[in-house]
Amino acid sequence: MRAGGPPLQQGTTTANATGGATTTANATGAANATNGSAAGVGPTAPETISGWLGLGANPDPGVQFLIGIVVASLIATVFLGLAAFAGIWGKRKITAAFTDRIAVNRVGPFGLLIIVADAVRLLSKELIVPEDVDRPAYDIAPMLVPFSALLGFAVIPMGSGLQLADPETGFVFVFAAASIASLGLLTAGYASNNKYSFLGGLRAVAQNLAYEIPLVVTAASVVLFAGTLRMSEIVAAQAEPLVTVAGFAIPAWFAFVNPFAFVLFMTANLAEVGRNPFDVPEAPGELVAGYMTEYSSVYFVLLYLGEFLHIFLGGAIVATLFLGGPAGPGPAALGLVWFMLKVLAVYLFTQWMRSAIPRVRIDQLIEIGWKGMLVLSFANLVLTAVIVGLIV
Amino acid sequence: MSSNRETTETGTADAQPTDMQFGEARSASTDSDGPAAEGVVESTQEARMGSGADSRFNSKLRNAFGSSPFILTKFDKFMNWVRGSSMFMLQFGIACCSIEMMHTYAVKHDLDRFGAGVPRASPRQADVIIVPGTIVSKFAPRMKRVYDQMPEPKFVVSMGSCTVSGGPFQQGYNVIKGAEEVIPCDIHVPGCPPRPEALIYGVAKLQERIAEGESAPVTVKPYELEQFGDLQRDELVEHLAADIDEDTLVMRYNWADST
Amino acid sequence: MSLEEPTGERTETHLTGVTEAGLDYDAIADLLGDRVVGRETHLNAEAFVVRPDEVQEALFALRDEAGFDHCSCVTAQEYEDRFESIYHLKRYDDPTQEVSVVVPTPRDAPASQTAEPVYRTADWHEREAYDLVGVEYEGHPDLRRILLPETWQGHPLGLDYDQDRPQIVTLESHANPLAEDQADDTGEADTMFLNIGPHHPATHGVLHVETVLDGEQVADVRSDIGYLHRCEEQMAQSGKYRHEIMPYPDRWDYVSAGLLNEWAYARTAEDLAGLEVPEYAQVIRTMGAEFSRIAAHMLAVATFALDVYGEFTATFMYGFRDREVVMDILEDLTGQRLMFNYFRLGGVAWDLPEPRAEFFEKIRDFLDELPGKLDEYHDLITSNEIFQLRCVDTGVIDAETAKDYGCTGPVARASGVDYDLRRDDPYGYYDELDWDVAVEPDGDNYARVLTRLREVEQSARIIEQCVDLLEDWPEEEREIQSNVPRTLRPDEDAEIYRAVEGAKGELGIYIRSDGTDKPARFKIRSPCFSNLQALPEMAEGEYIADLIASLASIDIVLGEVDR
Ligand code: SF4
């Protein structure tokens, strides 16, 4: 599993930090990347590319910037594509499987062309901006939601060397970026001049407040284990075998080390991405379509994609923090595949919940958040701290 | 500029709503300043299709170029394929037919196979409104409003004999004699109620027609939403004048004309 | 049960006129004393004519002294020389004990005292009477049109209504009804007014609920109905008894409950015209009707899931999957999936489909699978903890309130009101069969769903017994229809009010004949109409999500509410 160089310098982390993230790209790092070490802390993708281009590890800022943009667009495209795939086709197929149906099968093979048709059709529809909406807030909101999710992906190590940036505070960054979305939802709800949207927006904020804290606190327990906030190192920390059963090593994924935290995190994550039983902000059937009631055409597409991007970001965080990131059997170059599979598994889980579980009421939701999840997550944190203290 | 477009703008004196299907105006109530009769027909028809060929199917580029360059023709074809392959339905239930409509969405009949099984609760995100049931006087203005709230291009499947003619309730004092008296319909699915198979056939047929760029003309003189102040003053209007504000939207039913 | 005790005691201690043998109408007449100015005999009960300004006294006496706690229906009608309102009263303990109160009012000033203080349910019934017929009720708290738009001209079921006159209907925004009471210094209320419907995914059709929200909580609820008022009564009044009316009942409660509704008309018209129904036909009717009930309850549960779970989830689809099976069987039996038109006066349209063995086989397969499917529902719904969290103790209505609002059917039974016309006022073949009435004491959303699921079980029991009977029925005795004259002309001025247990509760029909082959007045008592009226009792003070859940748990069908 631990091919390539040894997992990099636990000790040198602080030293690197002073030089900024890019300075870590030393010769070992480059070698590491070409070896495709999934488990170790590799260089970020822009660094790798500049390495390939023979520009060295630390080219001038302009080039860095350009390469950064290229990689960022690559990542964004991958995930937007994935969101289109899962949001348009996958969602229908999964729901259909849960409910004894077939779903799209006429347009293209397995109905896959529906993705093209749906996307183009939605984009080509008339964009209605109702009277009395609060512009430009009304226009900004649909952009905030998907972009905040995309921002979060920047620091996620996706394996196969694909990571845009690896700042030392990556962990904090990803949660910070993800929670911008609630601002978007509030703006959307408020600016639409529609009471249903408004209710939906307010609910989204109340929900995010209540669940963001347990989410981060639970995730912090992982940080206690790993002893770092850098995403790549959190991944690296999970590469050790936990126990070896009959020559088969079970890796020390934090989901196995601390299942309790994992369950807590998955639950809080459901609330974070607004899926049953916590889909009160959208609450179809109750609030029409919640905060997106008034949006049509492009704006609707953005909100809709944003929703799925957030589910993926949630999945990516789960995969990174609890499921060993891109780790998996086979050559390390397959890291991206494993990573995507994990993300999709989390997505499948959210769709499953959506098909089977009723939604809780808003007051119950808040209560579960503040009185249940928060207490449990702190208990978990203390517990983890004690364990870590004992072991280390 | 296309000659097509020019004629609309100069040809008729009151052709203001030509552009509105792609514009931001959404309240169709603004455009009916004439009293009933001819002016009204024109406004609904134009709000819907522009004049001449049904412009829902044509890209704006084509209007701009005038003729039809090969590439635009292909593009239009592609767009028609897109619209005909996938549609979001409005989650809209009125009466008995909506039960069969739900069965059509659900297990066994599964309308989603045709890419038409995603009911959206908000009209802003729907392409097709299936009108499943009897429309009565109190509901017609609301239905018109919901229809107006949908973004273009939008299509109407009218389901059941009630939406064809009032069906079994045609003689009722409160029943609108068919959906076309309120909104223009693209496909009629007769039956009371039509079986799910029939509705699927109707939707598939609609998709086929959209893909081929055909559409149904509006044939019936529709009831419009208009401001109360714009109504012709007659006995009834005078009588109600004390209760209704000038700028309240109203729908006036001339029952005697519609049977 | 504790909920019921107060009335239980009161009704048992001193009830005037109630004897072992039934009702002693003379004693009731004595009770009412000189408030009675005349007596009529309707086919179902004795009717006392009361002066328009003494309605409340008479009704109070009947309710408190004689125990008529169920105001089933209020019928208004116009004669050449007068208007008339009829209050059809029953007792929840024994619905066969009925009495009617007739209130004539002069044509030039049709006004009588309102019954609303006596029976809450009279509120909407009287509004409807005002709306359609034009009788006015003095002291009514809110006498507005209910089914037709506010701006409507004329009263369509009156004698001189001109159907061709134009009408104007407005599309107005509604105002917050609490705004004035709550205005603070700045003149703004701190509540939010929210229109739910008429086009909204949770209203199950075209109901409009005017809601005032205080934060997420519901401060005030008013249902605005009439968006599906398709003149069912007018249609029935213009059809001939024999064949032309039967298709319409299918369209009142249209969620496959058609046979139950048809039975309401069949029972009323058969009693009116004195027709017999062969036993064999009764068994078929019973079986078909219970299939309808299963289908209707499945839909109720499925759409409840829709509102509590979110769009198109597994439970919803399972409900529809199982309905498809029921509808297939009903299609085999009647020839249509939804609008059966299968009952005929004096029997049914045709015998069971051939080959019979195959048909029975199909039914038995369904019955065998049903317990497993019900377990699935219980797994998915009633034993789901989140579901319980959501539904237990929300939307509560107690037995007394439910009775006051005239609630019947699963809504009443879930509040502990043990009232089921199939058992209490037997018709068809029910009293020969072995089954139970499902009653739950709690009166919350959860109880209403549970009651329906349990009723499905009971319906399956009934069907099973019917199938057993039908299978062994000797071939030569399979008489599906009795002899019915080609044209029915019931006696002039015969009046009857009869009810059956529909899917949603007591579905009653009042018919007055005028000697022709069409009814002179045909009035439908819809269970949903009364049940929906109780919505504010359930929802006020609850959260908006519970309002939606309560609305779903009442299981209204707008076709029946608005008729
Ligand atoms: S066509 Fe028939 S089934 Fe459909 S709404 Fe009308 S009456 Fe009901």
Side-chain angles (χ1 to χ4, degrees):
Chain A
M1 284 279 286
R2 294 165 58 196
L8 281 194
Q9 50 327 52
Q10 294 289 351
T12 53
T13 321
T14 32
N16 287 335
T18 53
T22 41
T23 55
T24 47
N26 48 27
T28 348
N32 219 343
T34 38
N35 286 350
S37 164
V41 179
T44 58
E47 290 156 14
T48 319
I49 293 179
S50 64
W52 286 342
L53 296 177
L55 295 173
N58 200 2
D60 71 70
V63 177
Q64 268 187 40
F65 180 72
L66 268 183
I67 297 179
I69 297 248
V70 170
V71 178
S73 357
L74 180 73
I75 293 181
T77 313
V78 167
F79 276 94
L80 282 172
L82 196 64
F85 171 76
I88 294 174
W89 185 81
K91 174 185 163 182
R92 279 153 113 161
K93 282 293 195 188
I94 294 171
T95 320
F98 277 118
T99 55
D100 267 2
R101 291 182 299 127
I102 305 171
V104 277
N105 68 350
R106 301 289 155 123
V107 195
F110 307 106
L112 272 170
L113 284 186
I114 195 86
I115 300 173
V116 181
D118 250 0
V120 176
R121 172 183 55 87
L122 278 171
L123 291 174
S124 71
K125 291 218 65 157
E126 178 190 8
L127 179 62
I128 297 180
V129 180
E131 291 163 26
D132 301 331
V133 298
D134 191 40
R135 299 184 87 163
Y138 179 82
D139 310 80
I140 292 172
M143 296 174 202
L144 273 181
V145 178
F147 293 162
S148 68
L150 286 176
L151 213 54
F153 283 113
V155 297
I156 303 279
M158 299 177 209
S160 313
L162 198 59
Q163 182 178 14
L164 184 58
D166 193 11
E168 189 180 1
T169 51
F171 173 88
V172 179
F173 174 81
V174 75
F175 285 105
S179 52
I180 298 178
S182 46
L183 190 65
L185 302 193
L186 177 67
T187 319
Y190 173 76
S192 297
N193 188 28
N194 176 315
K195 289 167 182 170
Y196 289 107
S197 307
F198 187 53
L199 277 175
L202 290 185
R203 284 179 175 195
V205 173
Q207 179 177 21
N208 272 57
L209 282 183
Y211 284 80
E212 194 80 18
I213 300 173
L215 190 77
V216 175
V217 171
T218 313
S221 73
V222 169
V223 176
L224 281 189
F225 271 119
T228 171
L229 290 173
R230 190 190 294 270
M231 291 306 239
S232 54
E233 286 170 12
I234 293 177
V235 170
Q238 299 180 51
E240 327 264 343
L242 180 64
V243 279
T244 312
V245 188
F248 187 75
I250 296 178
W253 292 359
F254 290 127
F256 302 144
V257 178
N258 190 353
F260 179 59
F262 179 61
V263 172
L264 262 183
F265 192 87
M266 284 299 272
T267 319
N269 190 44
L270 277 181
E272 183 68 14
V273 299
R275 275 291 176 244
N276 281 14
F278 306 118
D279 75 334
V280 291
E282 205 182 332
E286 216 175 290
L287 296 187
V288 188
Y291 53 86
M292 50 166 110
T293 305
E294 286 289 347
Y295 284 96
S296 63
S297 188
V298 185
Y299 287 169
F300 169 66
V301 173
L302 283 174
L303 282 173
Y304 192 74
L305 277 184
E307 207 180 293
F308 282 94
L309 284 175
H310 270 278
I311 296 177
F312 289 140
L313 181 62
I317 298 176
V318 169
T320 311
L321 296 187
F322 288 95
L323 299 176
L334 284 182
L336 186 60
V337 176
W338 286 115
F339 181 78
M340 287 300 178
L341 280 181
K342 286 170 192 171
V343 172
L344 287 176
V346 175
Y347 169 69
L348 182 65
F349 175 74
T350 60
Q351 286 305 109
W352 181 10
M353 288 293 128
R354 185 177 171 279
S355 299
I357 305 273
R359 95 168 62 91
V360 295
R361 209 168 52 209
I362 180 73
D363 63 313
Q364 293 164 344
L365 175 105
I366 302 295
E367 214 161 276
I368 295 172
W370 288 111
K371 294 193 191 155
M373 303 287 290
L374 190 65
V375 177
L376 285 178
S377 61
F378 273 112
N380 169 57
L381 190 67
V382 172
L383 192 76
T384 319
V386 170
I387 294 176
V388 170
L390 288 181
I391 295 175
V392 181
Chain B
M1 277 310 257
S2 96
S3 53
N4 177 3
R5 189 175 168 130
E6 219 119 290
T7 45
T8 14
E9 274 177 3
T10 51
T12 49
D14 54 350
Q16 74 276 44
T18 322
D19 235 355
M20 70 173 278
Q21 68 253 36
F22 291 115
E24 286 175 3
R26 77 191 159 93
S27 166
S29 57
T30 52
D31 54 6
S32 49
D33 38 16
E38 277 316 298
V40 174
V41 178
E42 207 165 272
S43 62
T44 293
Q45 203 149 6
E46 294 199 344
R48 186 69 197 280
M49 344 201 296
S51 62
D54 186 346
S55 63
R56 274 181 301 167
F57 296 104
N58 294 338
S59 62
K60 295 197 102 180
L61 282 178
R62 173 186 296 213
N63 273 342
F65 281 106
S67 61
S68 305
F70 172 75
I71 181 82
L72 285 187
T73 317
K74 284 289 169 215
F75 181 69
D76 283 347
K77 267 205 151 141
F78 173 68
M79 290 310 291
N80 289 341
W81 172 81
V82 158
R83 286 169 191 153
S85 307
S86 132
M87 32 185 64
F88 281 180
M89 317 309 251
L90 183 66
Q91 194 173 341
F92 186 70
I94 305 182
C96 347
C97 279
S98 56
I99 301 294
E100 283 296 53
M101 184 185 70
M102 273 148 83
H103 273 276
T104 317
Y105 288 136
V107 187
K108 187 168 175 185
H109 299 290
D110 191 12
L111 189 59
D112 201 18
R113 284 175 299 155
F114 298 83
V118 181
R120 296 295 312 180
S122 164
R124 300 277 187 231
Q125 293 137 22
D127 308 288
V128 177
I129 173 174
I130 299 183
V131 184
T134 326
I135 304 151
V136 303
S137 68
K138 201 172 172 182
F139 191 60
R142 274 85 186 169
M143 185 172 87
K144 173 88 173 150
R145 172 45 66 88
V146 168
Y147 173 78
D148 288 342
Q149 283 170 340
M150 290 166 59
E152 290 283 352
K154 53 194 171 188
F155 305 93
V156 181
V157 176
S158 84
M159 175 183 186
S161 1
C162 280
T163 54
V164 174
S165 65
F169 303 101
Q170 196 184 27
Q171 301 305 319
Y173 50 82
N174 192 28
V175 174
I176 310 289
K177 279 95 195 140
E180 263 192 338
E181 306 232 327
V182 187
I183 57 178
C185 300
D186 291 275
I187 289 276
H188 286 287
V189 183
C192 185
R195 297 178 60 92
E197 292 88 334
L199 181 60
I200 290 181
Y201 179 74
V203 171
K205 201 77 191 164
L206 174 68
Q207 293 184 332
E208 197 183 303
R209 295 183 59 137
I210 295 174
E212 280 163 17
E214 296 171 17
S215 76
V218 183
T219 51
V220 176
K221 184 175 69 183
Y223 294 129
E224 290 282 356
L225 272 177
E226 27 196 342
Q227 289 194 338
F228 184 70
D230 294 342
L231 289 182
Q232 211 175 13
R233 312 293 290 186
D234 62 2
E235 201 192 337
L236 176 62
V237 174
E238 297 290 347
H239 182 76
L240 285 169
D243 302 335
I244 306 180
D245 282 347
E246 287 282 292
D247 49 1
T248 306
L249 291 177
V250 297
M251 201 173 254
R252 184 197 162 99
Y253 301 106
N254 296 315
W255 299 115
D257 299 351
S258 60
T259 33
Chain C
M1 288 315 282
S2 62
L3 291 172
E4 266 192 302
E5 251 143 58
T7 34
E9 267 163 33
R10 195 180 64 203
T11 43
E12 259 138 51
T13 41
H14 48 86
L15 285 184
T16 317
V18 179
T19 60
E20 287 293 305
L23 279 180
D24 177 358
Y25 285 111
D26 294 331
I28 295 176
D30 289 345
L31 169 72
L32 293 176
D34 54 5
R35 286 182 286 249
V36 177
V37 293
R39 249 170 98 162
E40 291 175 11
T41 304
H42 296 175
L43 289 178
N44 60 316
E46 230 23 36
F48 299 102
V49 183
V50 171
R51 285 165 48 94
D53 53 356
E54 286 177 338
V55 177
Q56 283 180 14
E57 284 173 51
L59 291 177
F60 269 125
L62 285 171
R63 188 189 77 179
D64 296 337
E65 318 278 319
F68 288 101
D69 51 356
H70 181 25
C71 176
S72 180
C73 184
V74 180
T75 306
Q77 52 187 329
E78 183 175 1
Y79 288 88
E80 292 298 338
D81 59 341
R82 64 177 191 278
F83 283 92
E84 195 176 274
S85 315
I86 309 175
Y87 296 86
H88 303 278
L89 307 182
K90 291 185 178 188
R91 297 181 52 222
Y92 269 106
D93 289 341
D94 182 356
T96 54
Q97 302 189 339
E98 301 172 57
V99 68
S100 303
V101 173
V102 177
V103 187
T105 42
R107 268 190 72 99
D108 46 350
S112 63
Q113 218 175 17
T114 176
E116 193 270 343
V118 194
Y119 303 104
R120 269 298 282 128
T121 182
D123 179 350
W124 277 22
H125 284 282
E126 286 177 351
R127 276 178 70 188
E128 185 191 320
Y130 163 72
D131 189 358
L132 300 184
V133 184
V135 183
E136 292 186 13
Y137 296 90
E138 282 161 4
H140 190 284
D142 183 24
L143 196 65
R144 283 179 298 132
R145 289 187 181 272
I146 184 168
L147 294 175
L148 291 168
E150 297 272 301
T151 50
W152 202 261
Q153 301 298 308
H155 301 278
L157 293 184
L159 291 180
D160 50 5
Y161 180 72
D162 172 16
Q163 203 177 320
D164 281 343
R165 69 186 293 185
Q167 300 283 355
I168 290 180
V169 176
T170 58
L171 175 79
E172 270 178 297
S173 31
H174 300 256
N176 183 345
L178 300 188
E180 260 172 46
D181 307 347
Q182 289 184 331
D184 55 12
D185 321 335
T186 58
E188 297 215 359
D190 54 0
T191 51
M192 178 165 107
F193 179 70
L194 185 69
N195 284 309
I196 301 182
H199 162 241
H200 183 277
T203 52
H204 298 214
V206 283
L207 172 67
H208 174 200
V209 188
E210 298 170 12
T211 323
V212 179
L213 296 179
D214 182 6
E216 282 271 348
Q217 266 153 328
V218 176
D220 186 66
V221 186
R222 294 167 200 203
S223 320
D224 174 21
I225 61 175
Y227 293 94
L228 193 52
H229 174 55
R230 337 186 245 196
C231 331
E232 299 272 10
E233 289 172 8
Q234 182 204 16
M235 292 295 109
Q237 277 163 220
S238 52
K240 296 190 183 124
Y241 289 104
R242 183 79 159 86
H243 286 303
E244 290 177 9
I245 297 178
M246 195 57 92
Y248 285 101
D250 283 317
R251 289 161 179 82
W252 303 341
D253 178 355
Y254 45 68
V255 295
S256 304
L259 292 180
L260 295 157
N261 308 356
E262 288 176 21
W263 207 337
Y265 172 63
R267 185 178 187 206
T268 316
E270 280 156 8
D271 284 0
L272 180 68
L275 303 174
E276 286 298 315
V277 182
E279 215 171 315
Y280 180 67
Q282 291 285 28
V283 180
I284 297 182
R285 280 183 175 189
T286 310
M287 182 184 74
E290 290 310 308
F291 269 117
S292 280
R293 192 181 309 278
I294 291 182
H297 282 351
M298 292 264 181
L299 186 95
V301 172
T303 47
F304 186 80
L306 188 69
D307 290 343
V308 176
Y309 284 58
E311 53 185 23
F312 287 30
T313 54
T315 322
F316 174 80
M317 290 296 179
Y318 285 9
F320 273 79
R321 179 195 66 191
D322 299 342
R323 265 174 64 88
E324 284 285 352
V325 182
V326 181
M327 287 168 88
D328 268 357
I329 295 175
L330 281 172
E331 190 181 349
D332 285 351
L333 178 67
T334 66
Q336 234 276 26
R337 279 167 59 89
L338 210 56
M339 301 299 161
F340 310 111
N341 192 14
Y342 178 59
F343 286 13
R344 295 286 178 272
L345 298 187
V348 294
W350 43 71
D351 200 352
L352 303 180
E354 295 292 341
R356 291 165 69 95
E358 211 170 278
F359 181 64
F360 290 132
E361 183 69 33
K362 205 166 173 177
I363 296 180
R364 288 207 191 279
D365 283 349
F366 169 74
L367 293 176
D368 289 344
E369 282 169 20
L370 191 66
K373 287 176 173 167
L374 283 174
D375 281 347
E376 224 167 55
Y377 286 111
H378 284 299
D379 275 352
L380 271 167
I381 317 179
T382 48
S383 61
N384 182 315
E385 311 230 324
I386 299 179
F387 183 84
Q388 293 177 358
L389 197 67
R390 271 298 304 276
C391 298
V392 174
D393 278 342
T394 58
V396 182
I397 184 167
D398 63 47
E400 277 315 301
T401 323
K403 286 181 181 178
D404 203 17
Y405 276 98
C407 293
T408 49
V411 174
R413 287 195 285 274
S415 294
V417 181
D418 190 0
Y419 180 76
D420 189 326
L421 290 177
R422 290 175 289 171
R423 179 199 61 199
D424 299 339
D425 181 12
Y427 54 96
Y429 215 69
Y430 288 111
D431 49 351
E432 314 276 324
L433 305 172
D434 178 27
W435 57 283
D436 300 316
V437 176
V439 181
E440 292 286 329
D442 300 331
D444 52 12
N445 293 344
Y446 185 77
R448 286 190 278 276
V449 175
L450 195 60
T451 309
R452 293 207 176 86
L453 284 173
R454 288 185 44 203
E455 271 177 28
V456 170
E457 272 167 44
Q458 297 302 328
S459 297
R461 271 175 75 186
I462 298 176
I463 294 174
E464 190 156 20
Q465 296 168 43
C466 290
V467 173
D468 289 343
L469 283 169
L470 289 172
E471 253 176 346
D472 303 336
W473 212 275
E475 193 152 357
E476 57 284 2
E477 286 171 33
R478 291 185 195 152
E479 193 194 343
I480 53 162
Q481 220 176 346
S482 58
N483 248 336
V484 180
R486 181 165 287 266
T487 320
L488 285 177
R489 285 204 180 78
D491 302 335
E492 199 172 337
D493 272 333
E495 295 177 50
I496 188 169
Y497 175 74
R498 273 269 178 272
V500 299
E501 186 71 25
K504 315 289 190 272
E506 177 175 333
L507 178 59
I509 293 174
Y510 165 89
I511 298 179
R512 173 171 65 88
S513 74
D514 56 0
T516 64
D517 53 359
K518 294 175 183 170
R521 179 77 173 101
F522 189 100
K523 158 85 191 171
I524 308 155
R525 187 265 182 207
S526 130
C528 294
F529 186 74
S530 302
N531 292 351
L532 178 61
Q533 207 184 341
L535 178 67
E537 294 289 335
M538 300 177 191
E540 272 172 23
E542 302 271 5
Y543 284 88
I544 178 170
D546 292 335
L547 162 70
I548 305 281
S550 295
L551 187 58
S553 75
I554 302 178
D555 184 25
I556 45 160
V557 170
L558 268 300
E560 199 178 70
V561 174
D562 295 348
R563 285 150 292 144

